[in-house]
Amino acid sequence: MSISEQIQNAPAWWSDAVVYQIYPRSFADSNGDGIGDLGGIRSKLGHLQDLGVDVVWLSPIYASPQADNGYDISDYQAIDPLFGTLEEFDALLADMHSRGIKLVMDLVVNHTSDEHAWFVESAASRTSPKRDWYIWRDGYQGREPNLWRSAFSGPAWSKAPLGISGSTGSTSAEFDDDQYYLHLFAAKQPDLNWENPEVRSAVYEMMNWWLDRGVDGFRMDVINFIAKVQEDLVGDSESAAMGPQIHEYLQEMNARVFAGRDADLITVGEMPGVTVEDAKLFTGADRLELDMVFQFEHVGLDHGDSKFTNLKLDLVDLKRSLSRWQTGLAESGWNSLYLGNHDQPRSVSRFGNDGDYRIEAATLLATILHLHRGTPYIYQGDEIGMTNAGFTAIEQYNDIESVNWFAESIAAGDEPDVLLESLRFRSRDNARTPVQWDTSENAGFTSGTPWIGVNPNSTEINVETDRAAGDRSVFEHYKRLIALRHSSAVVALGDFELLEPEHPTLYAFTRSLGSETLLIVGNFSNDRMDAPLLDSSEARNAPVLLSNYAEAAAGATELRPWEVRVLQLH
Ligand code: GLC
Ligand code: CA
């Protein structure tokens, strides 16, 4: 093999990296206004360094009216005063780099805020030079151009008052005859028109500006939505499909933003609805599109007709789905691994047990996930096993998706209690309550009034208590998982093979590389369980690399509730 072939075949730097997601408004508040900020993040970098993560993905901190907590951006090159200043940002970035942590920014370019100068100009008149930067259409047969629905309820089209900034204008203002603009999310989040090369250039320029400032890559919000199928935009089409130009756009972005930069960058595209076959194209190393994608299959399994049906884990489905992705991207492409983020309920509440076995379940889930092949993402608070919010009244919710869905369902005649029960399982706010740092009032998150309620279990579940819990510390367990990935090539790169796929409560698989094989077994239940696959002499004699019970019980074929073991088979 020539040197250049060797370099080409060398695993990417991020194949043994672990990413930690910060949702800034809920992380730590430094100035007492009840909202997390850059100063708060800076004050907690020791926590992240102790944990050992390599990369932080920071959810949006840009100037924003905050209709969707910053996923509605009015200026891509300014920090929202809620979070701090550009100087503070630079200082944060420098601090992170000096601790060996990279910073990945959230890139939200499917849409902007309706208060972004581009949209204000676009909405001003049909002849505005920026008219075509967004997606405007005449109505179709007296209604919206097509039947697409906004992810946050209601039609995906709105009319903008002439010469007035989007939905902030009064509805009695003069309308721009029959033109509507597209918003796959809230009316305050108009979709950019990626068909327009000026739009693409403006986005690339902005990305280059951030990379020149020193950031280490981007997590790209709903990036597969940027390509619309033009014929579908008018008529009876009901669901927004991913247009075929998506690959061209990503390759162009790669060429105009990432190519030729020598830094170790990372790109991850959030892609609802993406299939394994798509992902192979998006992440194949030779295609120069993205390093990895967030797929949604395993977090969509439990959705019935409504996206708010209560979640019930079917372990067989979960295993089937995740292992299909493991196998599908084994030869080419790369997986990102996650069980939760700011859009999902808390993973321990959803997939595990947030009561008597909370610590066991949280550490088991982490172990299963981190022992898969791919790049693991830890959502803030998961490293101490934080749980769902447990809100009981609609007034406690803030999330635009939850609030709009509740209002729409009430208007359709649904029962409030049933809806609240669904939100208790499913709402995005479950993962957005403040990080619980200590036992003090407001969990040490803020000295003021938090923007959203602190989980009442913060006196029991918090960073300070967890880190002092020795063998029962979720944080310590995460630390071991991260260290294991850093030190073990088989964890980072080994082949994955699922065992006993039909077993309803056992999650078992091997990872192998060269002569080395790990066996991972987990009991997804509140009961003791016999695992005959632990009965071979090989398994009985295998050293336990990691387990979530204090007495490792090496050699035993019985698994205790939510017990997980990583065995070094050979
Ligand atoms: C992504 C974000 C989510 C946001 C949506 C619209 O799914 O993760 O929080 O609401 O895009 O930007
Ligand atoms: Ca603050």
Side-chain angles (χ1 to χ4, degrees):
M1 217 189 279
S2 73
I3 292 195
S4 73
E5 271 169 345
Q6 279 179 29
I7 292 175
Q8 267 185 5
N9 293 332
W13 69 267
W14 34 255
S15 58
D16 71 351
V18 176
V19 184
Y20 183 96
Q21 182 192 353
I22 292 183
Y23 193 66
R25 59 167 49 231
S26 304
F27 190 67
D29 174 24
S30 68
N31 64 353
D33 68 355
I35 299 173
D37 47 42
L38 298 183
I41 298 173
R42 261 184 107 182
S43 74
K44 300 293 185 188
L45 289 181
H47 175 78
L48 302 180
Q49 197 176 15
D50 289 352
L51 189 57
V53 294
D54 306 278
V55 180
V56 163
W57 149 30
L58 182 56
S59 278
I61 49 162
Y62 316 95
S64 162
Q66 304 287 327
D68 185 19
N69 291 353
Y71 284 91
D72 50 316
I73 298 168
S74 52
D75 184 348
Y76 288 109
Q77 285 163 237
I79 306 293
D80 197 285
L82 273 183
F83 298 122
T85 63
L86 210 44
E87 288 66 45
E88 279 179 273
F89 175 84
D90 288 338
L92 172 67
L93 183 61
D95 280 0
M96 290 179 64
H97 284 168
S98 74
R99 291 172 187 265
I101 299 173
K102 292 182 190 292
L103 179 58
V104 161
M105 300 294 274
D106 218 307
L107 180 80
V108 188
V109 291
N110 174 67
H111 45 269
T112 66
S113 164
D114 66 337
E115 297 181 38
H116 194 294
W118 298 343
F119 186 76
V120 173
E121 205 182 321
S122 181
S125 85
R126 282 196 185 209
T127 54
S128 155
K130 290 219 166 45
R131 185 62 167 185
D132 186 48
W133 281 44
Y134 293 82
I135 300 172
W136 296 93
R137 291 290 182 277
D138 291 334
Y140 177 74
Q141 300 182 346
R143 56 151 169 89
E144 288 81 14
N146 69 14
L147 299 174
W148 292 0
R149 308 276 301 163
S150 152
F152 299 153
S153 303
W157 298 90
S158 294
K159 292 184 182 182
L162 235 194
I164 298 178
S165 148
S167 54
T168 53
S170 100
T171 46
S172 61
E174 183 190 352
F175 282 104
D176 188 6
D177 29 11
D178 200 26
Q179 289 224 301
Y180 296 76
Y181 66 91
L182 177 68
H183 52 88
L184 294 179
F185 294 89
K188 286 189 69 61
Q189 294 166 298
D191 281 46
L192 282 165
N193 177 19
W194 274 71
E195 291 267 302
N196 184 329
E198 290 176 21
V199 167
R200 304 204 299 275
S201 293
V203 169
Y204 305 151
E205 201 180 308
M206 173 273 283
M207 293 172 75
N208 278 311
W209 186 84
W210 281 105
L211 290 174
D212 292 344
R213 223 173 174 91
V215 308
D216 302 292
F218 298 99
R219 173 271 185 186
M220 304 180 186
D221 195 62
V222 291
I223 198 70
N224 56 334
F225 292 2
I226 61 176
K228 318 293 195 267
V229 180
Q230 295 300 309
E231 306 83 75
D232 288 353
L233 286 172
V234 174
D236 291 327
S237 51
E238 288 185 26
S239 59
M242 177 170 76
Q245 326 87 295
I246 184 66
H247 296 289
E248 270 164 61
Y249 295 162
L250 291 174
Q251 284 168 8
E252 182 186 72
M253 176 191 285
N254 197 297
R256 289 178 54 188
V257 178
F258 301 108
R261 291 188 179 267
D262 51 10
D264 285 338
L265 302 177
I266 185 169
T267 57
V268 49
E270 187 208 22
M271 297 197 172
V274 73
T275 65
V276 183
E277 289 65 40
D278 297 328
K280 230 185 248 180
L281 298 178
F282 287 124
T283 67
D286 53 336
R287 295 182 46 91
L288 301 177
E289 295 187 18
L290 297 170
D291 294 334
M292 59 192 102
V293 301
F294 289 130
Q295 54 97 0
F296 280 65
E297 195 179 282
H298 67 298
V299 290
L301 293 172
D302 32 23
H303 292 189
D305 293 340
S306 151
K307 62 180 165 187
F308 283 105
T309 43
N310 296 347
L311 306 175
K312 235 186 166 59
L313 174 68
D314 183 322
L315 186 67
V316 174
D317 285 348
L318 181 70
K319 290 190 290 188
R320 187 181 299 131
S321 169
L322 288 177
S323 72
R324 230 164 48 76
W325 281 82
Q326 291 285 295
T327 320
L329 299 185
E331 300 301 326
S332 160
W334 189 252
N335 273 292
S336 52
L337 307 169
Y338 74 96
L339 291 174
N341 57 41
H342 66 294
D343 293 330
Q344 302 290 335
R346 283 284 173 189
S347 57
V348 71
S349 302
R350 176 184 201 164
F351 298 107
N353 175 318
D354 61 8
D356 291 347
Y357 292 110
R358 181 185 66 85
I359 292 171
E360 289 79 3
T363 48
L364 166 135
L365 289 168
T367 309
I368 294 293
L369 190 78
H370 283 238
L371 267 291
H372 277 65
R373 184 171 191 268
T375 300
Y377 286 73
I378 301 171
Y379 179 62
Q380 67 183 32
D382 280 354
E383 76 277 25
I384 56 163
M386 278 179 61
T387 65
N388 277 353
F391 292 158
T392 52
I394 191 63
E395 292 71 32
Q396 291 173 288
Y397 289 93
N398 168 284
D399 169 31
I400 184 169
E401 182 188 50
S402 305
V403 170
N404 287 2
W405 175 80
F406 186 85
E408 189 182 60
S409 308
I410 290 287
D414 289 334
E415 285 299 320
D417 286 353
V418 175
L419 300 174
L420 286 171
E421 172 82 354
S422 283
L423 287 177
R424 211 146 43 233
F425 282 99
R426 184 66 186 93
S427 169
R428 306 196 296 181
D429 278 342
N430 282 305
R432 296 178 179 186
T433 61
V435 170
Q436 296 157 205
W437 294 102
D438 58 37
T439 55
S440 69
E441 209 188 338
N442 295 323
F445 164 72
T446 180
S447 58
T449 307
W451 69 275
I452 191 171
V454 172
N455 194 313
N457 65 20
S458 68
T459 46
E460 180 205 334
I461 304 172
N462 57 74
V463 171
E464 188 181 61
T465 304
D466 184 274
R467 291 192 64 175
D471 284 342
R472 306 226 354 117
S473 164
V474 179
F475 183 91
E476 288 300 323
H477 191 89
Y478 266 94
K479 233 173 121 161
R480 286 194 287 271
L481 286 169
I482 297 165
L484 186 62
R485 173 166 292 261
H486 288 159
S487 63
S488 160
V490 65
V491 171
L493 300 169
D495 292 336
F496 175 98
E497 193 191 343
L498 186 68
L499 306 176
E500 305 206 24
E502 300 303 323
H503 196 298
T505 51
L506 176 72
Y507 203 135
F509 57 97
T510 55
R511 300 289 308 285
S512 325
L513 187 72
S515 59
E516 222 182 317
T517 300
L518 306 182
L519 171 65
I520 297 93
V521 286
N523 174 5
F524 274 68
S525 84
N526 295 335
D527 303 312
R528 289 172 175 261
M529 165 175 109
D530 198 48
L533 93 172
L534 293 174
D535 204 14
S536 67
S537 65
E538 217 181 18
R540 281 179 175 275
N541 295 320
V544 179
L545 278 189
L546 202 74
S547 134
N548 62 348
Y549 272 75
E551 284 94 52
T557 66
E558 187 185 72
L559 289 172
R560 291 158 285 188
W562 301 97
E563 179 169 2
V564 68
R565 273 182 235 163
V566 181
L567 303 177
Q568 180 92 44
L569 272 197
H570 37 79

